[in-house]
Amino acid sequence: VYLETYGCQMNVNDTEIAWAILQKNGYRRTKELDEADVILLVTCSVREKAEQAIWNRLRHLKALKARRQQARLPLRIGILGCMAERLKEEILHREKLVDIVAGPDAYRDLPRLLAVAESGQQAANVLLSLDETYADILPVQTSAGGTTAFVSIMRGCDNMCSYCIVPFTRGRERSRPIASILQEVRMLSDQGVKEVTLLGQNVNSFRDMSEVQFQSAAAPVLSRGFSTVYKAKPGGLRFAHLLDQVSRIDPEMRIRFTSPHPKDFPDEASVLQLIQERHNICKQLHLPAQSGSTRVLEAMRRGYTREAYLELVHHVRESIPGVSLSSDFIAGFCGETEEDHQQTVSLLREVRYNIGFLFAYSMRQKTRAYHRLQDDVPADIKQRRLEELITVFREEAARANEAMVGQSQLVLVEGPSKRSPSELCGRNDGNIKVIFRDAETEDAVGCKAPVRAQPGDYVVVKVTSASSQTLKGVLLCRTTLSRSAASR
């Protein structure tokens, strides 16, 4: 089987789950397309561009399949994930070369679907589940070098933002039992993984209902100035409890999480407190804003005003000194005026994010925007606004990063830099890429002889220059996460 992944980190994790299931059923994996008996594309539907990439890829695979048929070597092709969920009929009818279609909750069914395809029939399962979390399946890690890993803690989303297809392709929100998450993180720690990112569409509304004694716990309070379209759900163990437990497993393992929703950082802020207190929870937060205009935020059904969002940002910065912030923005949403756009520009300037993900709006069928709003911003204006947002984001990120010049940063080494084999690359606590020369260095852990940094090592790097996306620096020494925290 040959697996190809498109889209977000959830899809990377889905690929690992699908592969774990197929491996148990006797499949072997290949990295060579020409060796494959089965080609599976794990797809994304969030933007039109992502779907277009799949249609283009299928055109390329059509020729490969035709050659195989001539040589009497059958090749099965499958579309997995969000696009399978959204466009099942179209995929099966428009592209006769697709043999199987499996939605995000149907990966356990892959062996059966492939068996049906072996008999020459098309097979599909896009049923969404109210309880499937793949809790009992330990994903087979495929990330580079085995230094970092993603652990899915929940699936689906209930927020119903008007632009978003996710509730329709991934279904309702459900959380994995904490016990199974801890088991997976312990396994990764035993394998030498040094950084785990907890994944979910909305991680801070996590709610594990598997333990009876916690089912009557009170519903959480929303952040001040925030609202939601669904009723707060009582009961269950919450994200702060999970974060507390995960961070205790291995003091030498960094913990990150994405993506939270701004509404779920209430005033008592136990999550923010944990980030501030624990040396191995990264001082980094993803706070997706989407727009800087209250009017547009209301049309998006985000559940907050610009003012409430900025108040949260100030609260986060007070609670976690030196925190690194990242965000998502959409340019040219339905009804966005030039004034609305300028408010997003000013939000980017005011907050000064370290990392940003910015996209032009792309209308998706099934969403509330598709049914209720007009996609009335012309494509060329969307593009111009997007370019302006990117320019402003980069200027501000460069300023934020330049403030680190002269400072020492703790960096987890990931491997050689893509641009130069004589340099190493890693990320600091704030998830910013740091590049430095691969040279011998002293070892602060007690080894007298000079050492070479390896992937998975923590090193101290003195920053000498910065851009909007990367820091460059000089390697000072190798160390450990605990030792570095103790010397702060």
Side-chain angles (χ1 to χ4, degrees):
V1 61
Y2 177 90
L3 287 148
E4 207 165 85
T5 311
Y6 295 79
C8 68
Q9 295 304 346
M10 289 295 274
N11 282 3
V12 174
N13 190 256
D14 275 11
T15 304
E16 293 171 350
I17 289 167
W19 168 227
I21 290 163
L22 290 171
Q23 193 181 38
K24 277 198 180 115
N25 282 270
Y27 282 82
R28 285 181 301 138
R29 190 161 178 183
T30 177
K31 289 189 173 165
E32 302 300 324
L33 203 59
D34 291 333
E35 283 181 5
D37 308 297
V38 177
I39 296 170
L40 299 177
L41 310 183
V42 183
T43 63
C44 172
S45 258
V46 168
R47 282 174 297 280
E48 200 174 329
K49 200 172 169 186
E51 289 186 355
Q52 205 44 58
I54 303 296
W55 292 122
N56 294 343
R57 186 63 168 142
L58 286 174
R59 275 199 287 281
H60 172 81
L61 294 175
K62 203 170 197 168
L64 176 64
K65 192 163 185 177
R67 287 200 303 275
R68 289 290 192 88
Q69 276 168 338
Q70 282 172 349
R72 305 225 166 142
L73 293 166
L75 174 65
R76 306 285 171 229
I77 293 173
I79 299 288
L80 274 51
C82 293
M83 191 170 162
E85 191 67 44
R86 193 177 96 73
L87 296 171
K88 172 191 146 186
E89 303 298 335
E90 194 178 340
I91 292 165
L92 291 174
H93 296 143
R94 177 168 150 186
E95 299 291 353
K96 292 291 185 214
L97 83 157
V98 174
D99 302 284
I100 78 156
V101 172
D105 290 346
Y107 300 141
R108 289 180 198 274
D109 204 21
L110 280 172
R112 183 191 69 83
L113 294 172
L114 284 164
V116 171
E118 285 295 317
S119 70
Q121 299 173 63
Q122 286 183 311
N125 181 348
V126 292
L127 289 175
L128 285 174
S129 164
L130 289 173
D131 52 14
E132 177 62 270
T133 61
Y134 301 107
D136 58 320
I137 293 168
L138 291 177
V140 180
Q141 294 300 322
T142 54
S143 44
T147 299
T148 63
F150 295 93
V151 173
S152 177
I153 66 167
M154 60 198 299
R155 298 180 76 80
C157 186
D158 287 350
N159 285 323
M160 291 293 176
C161 301
S162 61
Y163 54 82
C164 186
I165 191 76
V166 167
F168 304 97
T169 59
R170 287 189 166 270
R172 301 304 297 270
E173 201 172 271
R174 59 236 116 102
S175 302
R176 246 176 104 176
I178 285 181
S180 81
I181 298 167
L182 298 179
Q183 182 193 0
E184 186 176 338
V185 175
R186 280 190 202 100
M187 178 191 80
L188 293 169
S189 169
D190 292 344
Q191 289 171 4
V193 167
K194 287 291 168 63
E195 181 180 294
V196 156
T197 303
L198 305 176
L199 277 186
Q201 240 69 46
N202 185 15
V203 289
N204 51 349
S205 64
F206 176 88
R207 191 173 72 111
D208 171 15
M209 294 293 285
S210 65
E211 295 190 38
V212 176
Q213 68 269 37
F214 296 105
Q215 286 181 3
S216 60
V221 183
L222 291 181
S223 308
R224 197 167 53 240
F226 288 73
S227 64
T228 174
V229 295
Y230 61 82
K231 238 171 53 189
K233 304 178 190 83
L237 289 167
R238 299 285 167 170
F239 184 60
H241 181 86
L242 172 67
L243 194 58
D244 171 44
Q245 295 293 306
V246 167
S247 67
R248 290 173 189 273
I249 287 173
D250 181 350
E252 288 302 308
M253 180 191 265
R254 267 181 179 170
I255 310 298
R256 301 186 189 279
F257 57 88
T258 199
S259 182
H261 192 290
K263 74 178 185 328
D264 295 310
F265 287 103
D267 290 339
E268 77 266 17
S270 46
V271 169
L272 299 180
Q273 213 173 322
L274 272 173
I275 297 171
Q276 198 265 320
E277 286 170 5
R278 297 281 158 88
H279 75 273
N280 62 334
I281 303 178
C282 292
K283 312 292 177 270
Q284 177 236 329
L285 259 192
H286 187 61
L287 285 181
Q290 307 302 357
S291 173
S293 157
T294 294
R295 204 183 66 78
V296 173
L297 289 168
E298 194 176 333
M300 289 176 164
R301 294 180 106 191
R302 290 292 290 166
Y304 51 85
T305 61
R306 174 195 176 95
E307 291 70 29
Y309 180 86
L310 281 169
E311 195 179 318
L312 174 64
V313 168
H314 295 315
H315 176 49
V316 165
R317 288 200 156 134
E318 276 172 16
S319 306
I320 312 164
V323 68
S324 163
L325 294 180
S326 57
S327 195
D328 300 333
F329 286 93
I330 295 170
F333 184 65
C334 308
E336 184 187 72
T337 64
E338 202 55 37
E339 189 191 335
D340 294 324
H341 166 64
Q342 288 307 324
Q343 288 185 16
T344 303
V345 168
S346 77
L347 186 77
L348 282 166
R349 292 225 184 268
E350 189 168 341
V351 177
R352 188 172 285 175
Y353 298 95
N354 300 81
I355 298 165
F357 304 92
L358 302 97
F359 303 97
Y361 175 62
S362 138
M363 174 77 86
R364 314 311 289 132
Q365 283 176 332
K366 293 188 180 173
T367 60
R368 185 182 171 87
Y370 179 78
H371 293 297
R372 304 279 180 90
L373 304 174
Q374 290 289 313
D375 186 7
D376 54 1
V377 180
D380 58 332
I381 292 179
K382 280 182 189 173
Q383 197 52 39
R384 172 183 62 76
R385 288 179 185 170
L386 175 63
E387 283 162 17
E388 281 177 24
L389 294 182
I390 290 170
T391 301
V392 172
F393 158 72
R394 286 194 171 148
E395 285 170 7
E396 297 301 331
R399 287 193 184 108
N401 291 347
E402 274 158 18
M404 291 183 237
V405 172
Q407 292 179 5
S408 294
Q409 295 284 319
L410 181 71
V411 176
L412 175 60
V413 181
E414 290 177 0
S417 160
K418 282 181 183 159
R419 294 207 175 154
S420 164
S422 65
E423 292 180 320
L424 290 172
C425 174
R427 288 180 187 272
N428 72 354
D429 192 81
N431 212 19
I432 299 160
K433 192 182 278 187
V434 183
I435 293 167
F436 53 95
R437 269 193 70 75
D438 179 7
E440 286 192 331
T441 187
E442 64 176 82
D443 187 6
V445 189
C447 172
K448 293 283 182 278
V451 292
R452 287 303 259 265
Q454 303 295 324
D457 283 349
Y458 290 104
V459 295
V460 180
V461 174
K462 186 169 185 180
V463 180
T464 53
S465 67
S467 72
S468 64
Q469 311 218 298
T470 51
L471 304 172
K472 286 200 158 185
V474 179
L475 178 61
L476 297 183
C477 66
R478 185 170 76 172
T479 186
T480 66
L481 195 50
S482 311
R483 181 180 284 262
S484 169
S487 65
R488 269 186 212 148

